[in-house]
Amino acid sequence: MFSKLFGKKKESSGLRYAPHNPNGYGNWSFLGTDMHSHLIPGIDDGAQTIEDSIMLIQRLQSMGYHSAITTPHIKYDHYPNNNYNIQSGLHGLQQALHERNINFPIRAAAEYYIDDHFMQLLEAGELMPVVDNQVLVEISFMFEPVRFDDILFRIQAKGYKPILAHPERYAYYHGNMQAYHDLRNKGCYLQLNTLSLFGYYGGAVKRAAEDLLSAGLYQYCGTDMHHIKHADNLQAMLQSGVMPVLQQTPFLNTSMQLV
Ligand SMILES: [Fe+2]
């Protein structure tokens, strides 16, 4: 389908980019809500101070996003966050936005690393969904979790739907489209990290993202915003010929309305 719509250069299997446009292809408002970011200060490797948080939110807003669901890491060995400190950090952030007259609706969920602690939270039914019953999960960059099939089954048996964060970044899946189709068939939604398509995480990740996008396998698009470098790259990406392709992709972000 994309080949009929877009021009010149074949970048990857089935995906054709429009030309680079120095005037930009609009902004990110077509996505509406960002659903993956690290904007609560001082609790993970994202924003470290309230001023960082405010600056990143202002950058999101200036690029067209109208709201965000921010997703601090919960990874027991590194970021032992919990519902309480995340909601309390969110409240402080909302207060700071209010004091500065910044109207940007924001809620909090989490990006859960799949480990034993996650399985305990799952069994207790204490997960914070991004939307409805959908929980954002990430896995090791080194290897697929042991019995990942069973884990996906258990998540769904507890009434949740998994959204796998940035599947294009797991190198052990590269070149194996069947693995991605299998994840979808096992009930997993897949979330593109926006900057993967801009080459931010390297060429192999970019190619994997292009393959997933052209196969129509993504449901969500998230910034995974941690710091100003991400904001600068998201801004620069607006000139990229991939933008028209993204603007035609029916991401579920658009159905999330925060007020
Ligand atoms: Fe993340």
Side-chain angles (χ1 to χ4, degrees):
M1 174 182 85
F2 295 130
S3 61
K4 287 186 184 145
L5 293 175
F6 303 107
K8 312 258 170 171
K9 184 167 65 162
K10 186 175 190 302
E11 293 276 343
S12 181
S13 55
L15 194 68
R16 285 173 187 271
Y17 286 5
H20 177 85
N21 181 352
N23 296 319
Y25 286 102
N27 60 28
W28 291 106
S29 60
F30 67 96
L31 286 172
T33 302
D34 186 42
M35 46 67 72
H36 182 168
S37 65
H38 301 268
L39 302 175
I40 294 180
I43 64 170
D44 66 5
D45 56 345
Q48 292 306 301
T49 67
I50 195 76
E51 294 309 322
D52 287 347
S53 307
I54 298 291
M55 177 271 294
L56 294 174
I57 286 169
Q58 287 182 310
R59 293 292 301 272
L60 282 173
Q61 195 169 38
S62 73
M63 288 188 279
Y65 288 97
H66 62 59
S67 52
I69 296 159
T70 193
T71 50
H73 290 288
I74 295 185
K75 182 177 185 180
Y76 196 69
D77 287 344
H78 294 90
Y79 309 111
N81 293 311
N82 55 53
N83 298 13
Y84 178 77
N85 82 316
I86 288 175
Q87 293 303 327
S88 147
L90 172 70
H91 184 71
L93 179 53
Q94 289 170 326
Q95 195 75 24
L97 289 169
H98 181 71
E99 284 163 8
R100 290 163 176 79
N101 291 317
I102 299 169
N103 180 22
F104 189 81
I106 183 164
R107 285 203 294 105
E111 179 182 16
Y112 293 94
Y113 185 85
I114 292 187
D115 54 13
D116 289 346
H117 179 63
F118 169 77
M119 299 310 290
Q120 289 164 12
L121 293 175
L122 172 65
E123 291 308 318
E126 291 178 1
L127 302 180
M128 287 182 288
V130 165
V131 61
D132 300 330
N133 61 340
Q134 301 170 33
V135 293
L136 184 66
V137 298
E138 65 172 337
I139 53 179
S140 166
F141 287 115
M142 306 298 288
F143 45 80
E144 187 179 64
V146 176
R147 304 185 70 183
F148 193 29
D149 290 4
D150 289 350
I151 294 169
L152 292 175
F153 178 81
R154 284 171 70 185
I155 292 171
Q156 291 169 92
K158 292 296 276 186
Y160 297 106
K161 185 164 186 78
I163 306 171
L164 181 62
H166 40 64
E168 71 279 358
R169 294 190 64 197
Y170 305 116
Y172 45 83
Y173 289 144
H174 289 174
N176 182 2
M177 286 305 285
Q178 190 56 50
Y180 293 119
H181 283 283
D182 288 348
L183 288 167
R184 284 290 297 120
N185 292 335
K186 287 167 192 159
C188 222
Y189 279 156
L190 302 179
Q191 176 250 306
L192 166 68
N193 262 23
T194 321
L195 289 176
S196 293
L197 279 176
F198 198 46
Y200 182 85
Y201 307 98
V205 172
K206 181 172 189 276
R207 282 188 294 279
E210 289 168 342
D211 289 344
L212 280 156
L213 187 65
S214 76
L217 288 172
Y218 286 122
Q219 287 67 53
Y220 284 105
C221 184
T223 62
D224 204 357
M225 175 89 91
H226 284 69
H227 44 64
I228 194 168
K229 201 172 161 197
H230 288 155
D232 290 345
N233 277 271
L234 285 162
Q235 182 75 48
M237 190 175 171
L238 290 170
Q239 300 178 341
S240 157
V242 76
M243 290 304 297
V245 184
L246 283 176
Q247 287 160 349
Q248 297 281 328
T249 303
F251 291 113
L252 294 177
N253 299 58
T254 55
S255 64
M256 307 164 92
Q257 290 294 331
L258 267 65
V259 287

